[in-house]
Amino acid sequence: MKPIPDHAVNRLRIWRKSISTRPFLARGGAVPRCEACQLRHAWCACEWRPELKAEAGFCLLMYDSEPMKPSNTGRLIADVLPDTTWAFLWQRTQPHPELLALLADPAWQPYVVFPACEKEPARLTERVTLANGKKPLFILLDGTWPEARKMFNMSPYLDGFPVLSVRPDALSTYGMRVANCDEHLCTAEVAACVLEVAGELKAGQALQHWFNLFSSRYMAGRVSRAPGEDETPLLQALEAIKGEGIQQATPALPGSDAA
């Protein structure tokens, strides 16, 4: 059994399941899965999960049962960036005190990430501009698109923040759920885009690769199709990213040329 990564989304998922009064019966909920990556056991991808550090942070506002869904991709952000990802269940009138404290932390400059096709044009921006000493905190509304729209419209504590609009170079490859608009990407795809906007190219690429592998194997598991050779370039890219992380984490030996 693979160890479950200790990060905000997994902790929230465990807590949300603990307070549930009935079994979670949404699509895919009854299928035996790896608890770490939420893929069916024969399609487990834990071996290739990258873990990086970034200056940018993510605040996930998750709609009710979203943390329990095996198809949720907000979890993939926390997989890759566990130190700078926070997750909270959305509350309209009583937001979590730790959420409010995070939004008010002077170290961070919050941006609500939402499509340009939505309302509030006066708040829209396509650039990340930071005051001295601040780091970007990207607020992602994690749920179905009707749920995300509801969170956007009914969260007054988010009204004072700029809205970052992401224009993807490619349409969504997310096949687990269907969006009503081509510009509506899933949560992990949006996060990969905003990381690139913020100049965090390596983290953005790592997240996009991890999402691509998760999405491919999730869909393959649905129809019991074994992973194919077409995965090879993706697995090689993830291995290279993991190898770079190990090298950076290894302290230089005395007398070596490392700075």
Side-chain angles (χ1 to χ4, degrees), residues 196-254:
E196 294 189 11
V197 171
E200 301 271 10
L201 301 183
K202 184 176 292 186
Q205 190 174 57
L207 178 56
Q208 185 66 56
H209 288 328
W210 180 229
F211 163 77
N212 288 347
L213 181 62
F214 173 79
S215 179
S216 172
R217 292 204 167 192
Y218 192 100
M219 297 302 291
R222 270 187 173 181
V223 296
S224 298
R225 174 175 55 82
E229 292 184 359
D230 56 331
E231 281 190 352
T232 300
L234 188 55
L235 299 182
Q236 290 174 340
L238 287 166
E239 285 282 8
I241 292 168
K242 290 185 65 176
E244 290 177 7
I246 292 172
Q247 290 176 5
Q248 291 174 2
T250 303
L253 295 174

Side-chain angles (χ1 to χ4, degrees), residues 188-201:
E189 288 176 303
V190 169
C193 287
V194 299
L195 282 168
E196 294 189 11
V197 171
E200 301 271 10
L201 301 183

Side-chain angles (χ1 to χ4, degrees), residues 1-5 10 13 17 28-29 31-47 49 68-70 75 79 210 214 217-218:
M1 183 176 178
K2 304 291 195 305
I4 300 175
N10 282 339
R13 175 165 61 94
K17 289 175 69 174
V31 176
R33 298 179 180 277
C34 169
E35 282 295 312
C37 68
Q38 290 296 295
L39 293 169
R40 292 178 63 178
H41 291 291
W43 287 263
C44 174
C46 290
E47 179 182 349
R49 178 176 67 88
M68 297 191 293
K69 296 178 181 178
R75 183 186 69 257
D79 283 343
W210 180 229
F214 173 79
R217 292 204 167 192
Y218 192 100

Side-chain angles (χ1 to χ4, degrees), residues 66-102:
E66 191 66 30
M68 297 191 293
K69 296 178 181 178
S71 60
N72 173 262
T73 67
R75 183 186 69 257
L76 306 181
I77 305 168
D79 283 343
V80 176
L81 300 172
D83 295 338
T84 51
T85 301
W86 291 264
F88 304 91
L89 284 186
W90 176 72
Q91 296 287 338
R92 182 174 66 87
T93 59
Q94 295 181 314
H96 198 291
E98 291 184 12
L99 166 63
L100 297 180
L102 176 64

